[in-house]
Amino acid sequence: MTRIDSSSLLQMRSAILQQNAALQKAAQKPAEQAPIAGLGAAGPQAPANFTKAFGDALSAVNELQAKAGAASESYERGETTDIAAVMLQREQANLGFQATLQVRNKLLAAYKDIMSMPV
């Protein structure tokens, strides 16, 4: 049976994290090319619709959950051997879900504050 050295495991983990950071940096546009919110090529646009933005965010979280579930099932069936990629997808889905819960809690707190204001 092969023994796993903790230092080599930590080195592999740091290499994976560095590759992930590099891929995320490459996927994002540079800040100088990113459009300013509310300004298009023709000038100011209509204000963003909160309901649409929130719905889009929920759809994105749902897609992350679906991809993580598919990756987990694929790993369980033996079709995928890259456990690091599966775990990264699961963690991304978990972070997205946790962020969604925090936003929901803040919205509910704000709603309760508004409803409890004397008129």
Side-chain angles (χ1 to χ4, degrees):
M1 193 167 186
T2 307
R3 190 148 193 225
I4 298 174
D5 184 27
S6 62
S7 63
S8 65
L9 187 61
L10 289 174
Q11 288 175 348
M12 287 173 42
R13 179 186 175 274
S14 66
I16 290 170
L17 291 175
Q18 288 174 349
Q19 289 175 351
N20 188 26
L23 288 173
Q24 286 179 348
K25 188 175 181 181
Q28 294 175 349
K29 291 183 181 179
E32 61 271 6
Q33 292 180 355
I36 298 173
L39 291 178
Q45 297 176 348
N49 184 354
F50 176 76
T51 305
K52 183 180 181 324
F54 193 67
D56 292 344
L58 288 177
S59 296
V61 170
N62 188 36
E63 288 177 22
L64 284 174
Q65 292 282 336
K67 287 180 183 177
S72 294
E73 290 173 4
S74 175
Y75 182 76
E76 289 169 1
R77 286 190 301 265
E79 297 169 357
T80 303
T81 58
D82 189 6
I83 185 85
V86 173
M87 292 307 295
L88 283 174
Q89 286 183 342
R90 290 185 63 163
E91 282 301 312
Q92 287 175 342
N94 186 30
L95 286 174
F97 184 71
Q98 293 298 324
T100 303
L101 286 179
Q102 289 178 6
V103 168
R104 182 209 58 179
N105 292 341
K106 291 290 183 181
L107 288 172
L108 285 174
Y111 176 77
K112 288 178 183 177
D113 288 344
I114 290 170
M115 294 308 289
S116 66
M117 287 183 182
V119 181

